[in-house]
């Protein structure tokens, strides 16, 4: 779409572009002043079988359109196909009416992050509109910090960043006038592989961290490494010294050990436009608020807020708890849960006007990495996230303590007692809610492989291959086995034929006792044990095959995931209504 056309489109209410075609009973897309577009564009034959005028009935861009009836004209009955049975006369009820099915799919919306995230999918009739939405989305190339694509079959982590950058009319009074945008609100969203649960982990902006060196891609395509900083606030991982969102992703990995796959970023204007698009968000307060700094004024109890008022709600901190950022995070999480419920409600999903407004607001608000910049990919992410029941979406905050280096406490640091347990649970795809796993039977069978008699270490015969672990891992493991665990019948077999994400141990049925002993010594989970066949070692004797995958953490480091997530006092779920205090 050229700039001139885009300018005209932006002056049109998106809801007015979808009109009811009386000939079909379906909503169809109207572009500009043209009539509604047919779901299947293309020339139509004339009534007498002559070719249609190639220029007739074409709207903007040459797309074939149906002629709209004149105002007040009688709408003709649809013609019956040759050979079809005649329709029953009025009054006859011997046949069930045929229910028409809309060819425009529902737009799917979801939200997450300190401000909001919404995604959209349209049907074939909205192809042109879909391309228009794709033009709304901004993208940043963060190089190797993000994955190149999105997989529907894996667990995934998306870092959602709300910046204090000011864009859009009416935002002049917010934040630092010269700010390039820092990581003001941050949530690491983990969606489980089986889609039964998700965890949204808030990261305090005033948490002291070490920001690593970061390679950024400049506008001219060149690369520049921005030196890291020690003992600085987390929010400086974005914007400071020219850092991009990839630097924030690398900082998250350095602090938590969890690797973000992608990022989505919004600014101040997003929360205003998204809440207005859904017609307001319900919030609940335990006490009335009159905050002079954010200009938030709300009574106790339930209120519906949007636009400027919604932005004030998520920005204020002097009205909650100890008037700090941690209490504001709790309120933002409650706000997000409410926004999610409103966006997935039937009032939104069955309202074409709301859906189109939401699509425009969401795509204009987003900046993403190159791997997910297409609307079709964003749609796939939305559909995968929609599979997670709201009751199993858990909101957490990184456990922190006051910074011991400060006399007057203004910043926090990671609680090294509670934090690693939470990070480990997320990394191992463990839910913080009670969920019924889809693969429970399979997991029970995997766990059963670890039960039974075990051989002595001296009887374990195994060949070790590197299938994606750090270089030298096979030799390191061999040394560990022989010197520390007395597994002398072991050998380094070099690199595996192909890379593997997971570490596996393949064995023949009669080698099961050996497999159980090696699994116990190495800390291998039942899922790593693969009943199969044996291979010959250097002496021509049957041996098991141990393939060290990308998940291998080092010789003697257990790969067994925690059975359940740690108990967390401060958490909430997306299905429950909570009142801010």
């Amino acid at each position: 779409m050229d700039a001139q056309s885009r300018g005209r489109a932006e002056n049109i209410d998106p809801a007015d572009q979808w009109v009811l075609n009386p000939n079909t009973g379906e909503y169809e897309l109207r572009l500009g002043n043209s009539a509604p577009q047919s779901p299947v564009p293309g020339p139509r034959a004339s009534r007498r079988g002559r070719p249609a005028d190639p220029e007739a009935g074409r709207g903007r861009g040459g797309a074939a359109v149906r002629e709209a009836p004149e105002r007040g004209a009688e709408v003709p009955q649809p013609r019956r196909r040759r050979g079809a049975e005649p329709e029953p006369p009025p009054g006859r009820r011997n046949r069930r009416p045929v229910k028409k099915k809309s060819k425009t799919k529902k737009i799917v919306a979801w939200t997450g992050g300190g401000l909001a995230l919404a995604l959209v999918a349209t049907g074939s009739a909205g192809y042109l509109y879909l391309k228009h939405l794709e033009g709304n989305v901004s993208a940043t190339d963060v190089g190797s910090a993000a994955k190149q694509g999105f997989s529907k079959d894996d667990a995934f982590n998306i870092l959602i960043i709300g910046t204090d950058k000011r864009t859009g009319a009416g935002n002049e009074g917010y934040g630092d006038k010269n700010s390039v945008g820092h990581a003001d609100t941050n949530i690491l969203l983990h969606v489980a592989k089986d889609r039964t649960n998700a965890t949204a982990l808030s990261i305090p902006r005033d948490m002291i961290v070490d920001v690593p060196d970061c390679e950024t891609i400049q506008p001219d395509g060149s690369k520049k490494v921005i030196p890291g900083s020690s003992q600085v606030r987390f929010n400086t991982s974005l914007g400071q010294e020219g850092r991009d969102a990839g630097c924030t992703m690398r900082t998250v990995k350095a602090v938590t050990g969890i690797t973000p796959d992608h990022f989505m970023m919004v600014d101040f204007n997003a929360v205003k436009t998204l809440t207005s698009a859904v017609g307001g968000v319900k919030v609940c307060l335990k006490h009335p608020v009159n905050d002079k700094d954010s200009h938030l004024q709300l009574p106790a109890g339930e209120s519906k807020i949007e636009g400027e008022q919604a932005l004030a709600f998520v920005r204020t901190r002097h009205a909650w708890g100890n008037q700090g950022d941690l209490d504001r995070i709790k309120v933002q999480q409650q706000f997000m849960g409410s926004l999610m419920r409103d966006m997935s409600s039937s009032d939104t999903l069955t309202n074409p006007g709301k859906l189109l407004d939401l699509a425009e607001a969401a795509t204009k608000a987003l900046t993403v990495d190159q791997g997910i910049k297409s609307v079709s990919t964003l749609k796939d992410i939305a559909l995968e996230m929609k599979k997670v029941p709201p009751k199993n979406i858990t909101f957490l905050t990184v456990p922190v303590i006051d910074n011991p280096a400060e006399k007057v406490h203004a910043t926090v640091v990671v609680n090294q007692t509670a934090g690693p347990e939470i990070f480990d649970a997320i990394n191992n795809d463990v839910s913080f809610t009670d969920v019924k796993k889809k693969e429970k039977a399979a997991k029970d069978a995997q766990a059963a492989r670890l039960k039974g008699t075990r051989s002595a270490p001296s009887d374990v015969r195994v060949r070790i291959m590197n299938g994606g672990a750090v270089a030298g891992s096979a030799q390191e493991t061999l040394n560990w086995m022989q010197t520390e665990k007395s597994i002398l019948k072991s050998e380094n077999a070099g690199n595996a034929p192909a890379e593997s994400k997971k570490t596996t141990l393949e064995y023949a049925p009669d080698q099961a006792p050996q497999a159980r002993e090696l699994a116990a010594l190495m800390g291998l989970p039942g899922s790593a044990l693969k009943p199969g066949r044996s291979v010959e070692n250097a002496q021509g004797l049957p041996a098991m095959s141990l393939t060290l995958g990308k998940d291998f953490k080092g010789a003697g480091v257990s790969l067994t995931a925690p059975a359940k997530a740690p108990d967390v006092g401060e958490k909430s779920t997306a299905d429950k209504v909570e009142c801010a205090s």
Side-chain angles (χ1 to χ4, degrees), residues 358-373:
L358 188 56
E360 290 287 342
T363 51
K364 286 180 179 178
L366 280 176
T367 298
V368 301
D369 59 88
Q370 293 284 344
I372 57 172
K373 67 179 180 179

Side-chain angles (χ1 to χ4, degrees), residues 394-407:
T394 304
F395 293 107
L396 301 174
T397 303
V398 171
V400 294
I401 58 174
D402 289 332
N403 186 356
E406 296 176 335
K407 293 182 178 180

Side-chain angles (χ1 to χ4, degrees), residues 463-468 493-500 506 533 545-547:
R463 299 176 78 243
I464 308 165
M465 294 182 290
N466 192 328
N495 291 329
E499 286 194 349
S500 174
E506 185 176 1
R533 61 184 181 84
S545 296
L546 174 65
T547 302

Side-chain angles (χ1 to χ4, degrees), residues 54 99 157 172 184 201 324 330 344 356 370 456 468 471 504 519 531:
K99 184 178 180 181
N157 302 315
E172 294 81 3
D184 191 62
L201 182 68
K330 297 176 187 177
S344 61
L356 292 171
Q370 293 284 344
T504 59

Side-chain angles (χ1 to χ4, degrees), residues 28-341:
E28 298 175 358
L29 180 66
R30 182 196 296 270
L31 295 178
N33 297 320
S34 67
Q37 296 189 55
S38 169
V40 185
R44 295 192 304 169
S46 64
R47 290 187 178 182
R48 297 182 182 180
R50 295 191 302 269
D53 183 348
E55 297 301 321
R58 293 194 175 273
R60 184 177 301 172
V65 299
R66 302 186 184 209
E67 296 183 359
E70 295 182 2
R71 186 182 300 274
E74 181 179 352
V75 180
Q77 295 294 323
R79 297 179 61 193
R80 178 168 54 91
R81 290 183 299 174
R82 181 176 298 174
E85 294 182 6
E87 292 291 327
R92 289 183 61 182
R93 302 181 181 273
N94 61 331
R95 165 182 308 188
R96 292 182 181 178
V98 177
K99 184 178 180 181
K100 294 183 178 180
K101 182 178 180 181
S102 172
K103 294 183 180 179
T104 302
K105 299 177 181 179
K106 289 182 179 179
I107 298 174
V108 180
W110 200 89
T111 180
L115 299 177
L117 151 66
L119 305 169
V120 63
T122 59
S124 58
Y127 174 76
L128 294 178
Y129 187 63
L130 189 68
K131 300 305 289 183
H132 160 70
L133 292 177
E134 198 157 286
N136 289 344
V137 181
S138 300
T140 298
D141 188 351
V142 295
S144 61
K147 287 186 175 180
Q148 294 302 309
F150 173 73
S151 171
K152 298 180 183 179
D153 301 322
D154 297 325
F156 59 91
N157 302 315
I158 295 181
L159 179 61
I160 303 164
I161 307 170
T163 77
D164 54 5
K165 184 177 180 180
R166 302 177 302 166
T167 61
N171 291 323
E172 294 81 3
Y174 303 128
D176 181 1
K177 181 178 180 180
N178 299 314
S179 174
V180 294
H182 294 93
D184 191 62
T185 302
N186 310 276
I187 285 192
L188 180 61
L189 175 67
H190 170 81
V191 180
K193 181 176 181 178
D194 63 6
R195 308 300 187 248
T196 60
N197 67 93
T199 303
L201 182 68
S202 293
I203 303 172
R205 67 174 189 177
D206 294 329
M207 186 172 71
I208 297 300
V209 299
D210 291 338
V211 177
D213 293 347
C214 177
E215 182 180 83
T216 60
I217 299 177
Q218 303 302 301
D220 62 359
S222 63
K223 295 181 180 180
K224 176 182 178 181
V225 176
I226 301 175
S229 301
S230 298
Q231 297 299 288
V232 294
R233 280 177 165 86
F234 181 88
N235 67 341
T236 61
S237 64
L238 176 69
Q240 203 82 2
E241 308 297 335
R243 295 184 178 114
D244 60 17
C247 301
T248 308
M249 296 172 72
R250 291 183 172 96
T251 303
V252 169
K253 181 177 181 180
V255 173
T256 67
I258 304 169
T259 303
D261 300 314
H262 302 284
F263 84 87
M264 294 181 178
M265 185 164 61
V266 293
D267 57 31
F268 275 159
N269 205 45
V271 70
K272 295 165 59 176
T273 57
L274 289 173
T275 53
S276 296
V278 297
V281 175
K282 294 178 182 178
V283 295
C284 179
L285 279 68
K286 288 185 178 179
H287 57 78
V289 170
N290 186 0
D291 183 46
K292 296 180 180 179
D293 293 317
S294 67
H295 308 295
L296 177 66
Q297 296 183 10
L298 287 175
E302 189 176 276
S303 299
K304 198 168 190 178
I305 58 175
E306 64 176 282
E308 292 283 353
Q309 200 173 33
L311 178 57
F313 185 85
V314 299
R315 290 189 66 245
T316 188
R317 58 178 173 178
H318 298 295
W320 322 120
N322 295 323
Q323 303 185 10
D325 190 50
L326 296 179
D327 290 301
R328 177 170 63 173
I329 287 175
K330 297 176 187 177
V331 174
Q332 289 174 343
Q333 291 172 346
Q334 295 164 9
F335 176 84
M336 289 187 301
S338 180
L339 182 55
M340 288 170 58
R341 291 190 295 272

